[in-house]
Amino acid sequence: MERQNESFVATFILTGIPHAPELGTTLFGIFLVIYALTLMGNLLILLVIKVDSHLCTPMYHFLANLSFIDMWFSTTTVPKILMGLLSPDGGAISFYGCVAQLYFFYGLASTECFLYTVMSYDRYLAITYPLRYATMMSKKTCALLTGGTWLSGALHSAAHTSLTFRLPYCGPNQIEHYLCDAPPLLKLASADTSINEMVIFVNIGVVASGCCFLIFLSYVSIVHAILKIRTTDGRQKAFQTCASHCIVVLCFFVPALIIYLRPGSKHVMDRIVAIFQTTITPMLNPLVYTLRNKEVKMALLRFKERGNFM
């Protein structure tokens, strides 16, 4: 009850995605299809990696974690978007519901950010040191790297959530967003938010920029190693893989950098830009990382032949 004494706001109102009233039903259908494809694609990847012994490699271990994150990352935001499009009252969210959404949103986003970095490092080792790769990326190393991404994401999220909700919210309760995110929430706080905005700029900005820089270094080293491959087919396959990965990484990181490096921004386009990170990227990951992969296609065929598919 102490938390309630500090804040008079019991319910927040999410304004949702800006749209003309007549487009509500169309947008609802689009986001519903995106959400369904995200869940089905990532569930399929998880199932295939789980049952196929040929996919018991570090790369697919990380991809399974990515698919798991994407399912819940999308689930954190899209259902609330659908509710807001379906009903005028769908944007209402309780104070503690807002706390939970912010924590899981930041936790999963941070974990995915760190996981992309680990995955680029894994590809760097696989292409640059193919003979020593199995030793360098052992099961223990995989477990430590995976556990580190989840722990770092949880701690990173806990810090931002506690900083955001330690402030009093005594006045307006309308959040200019389709989810409980820190920048629009800070605009409603009944206290000075300069420290919070600086933390967002430095912490999230530095983390995202740092991960981008490490990923960039990994892929520069990968490209350098690819150019040494003598066979044309080998170079083409490696380049296609890197290009696909880079597209998804850009779709995830660029919106984050645009939004969180401008914490004081009130532009409505921030919500549109965020859609790429929260809804589009989780849907694209199964296509880019795995379903375009020959090993996964073969695993799907084996799965179908055993009579378990469909």
Side-chain angles (χ1 to χ4, degrees), residues 12-14 73 76-77 93 97-103 105-107 109 160-161 164-165 169 174-189 200 204 255-256 258-263 265 270-271 273-275 277-278:
F12 289 107
I13 304 296
L14 299 170
F73 191 47
T76 302
T77 57
I93 185 170
C98 193
V99 174
Q101 187 183 51
L102 181 68
Y103 176 77
F105 174 71
Y106 274 4
H160 281 284
T161 304
T164 300
F165 288 100
Y169 294 88
Q174 187 166 291
I175 301 174
E176 297 293 335
H177 210 314
Y178 58 81
L179 62 92
C180 289
D181 197 3
L185 266 169
L186 294 180
K187 297 182 179 71
L188 306 180
I200 289 174
I204 296 182
I258 290 175
I259 294 169
Y260 296 111
L261 291 183
R262 298 158 54 243
S265 172
D270 285 355
R271 278 178 275 176
V273 170
I275 290 174
Q277 182 189 33
T278 58

Side-chain angles (χ1 to χ4, degrees), residues 137-242:
M137 192 58 72
S138 62
K139 288 185 177 180
K140 182 179 179 180
T141 303
C142 283
L144 288 173
L145 289 172
T146 304
T149 61
W150 281 97
L151 179 61
S152 300
L155 294 175
H156 190 252
S157 178
H160 281 284
T161 304
S162 60
L163 279 173
T164 300
F165 288 100
R166 72 178 178 82
L167 299 170
Y169 294 88
C170 309
N173 69 337
Q174 187 166 291
I175 301 174
E176 297 293 335
H177 210 314
Y178 58 81
L179 62 92
C180 289
D181 197 3
L185 266 169
L186 294 180
K187 297 182 179 71
L188 306 180
S190 305
D192 179 36
T193 62
S194 56
I195 294 177
N196 296 70
E197 292 182 2
M198 183 58 66
V199 169
I200 289 174
F201 179 82
V202 174
N203 195 354
I204 296 182
V206 168
V207 168
S209 301
C211 288
C212 279
F213 179 68
L214 292 175
I215 291 170
F216 175 75
L217 285 182
S218 295
Y219 280 113
V220 167
S221 301
I222 288 171
V223 169
H224 181 69
I226 289 172
L227 293 175
K228 295 181 180 179
I229 298 175
R230 295 182 179 181
T231 62
T232 304
D233 290 340
R235 284 198 302 270
Q236 185 177 4
K237 180 181 177 181
F239 268 124
Q240 286 178 346
T241 301
C242 290

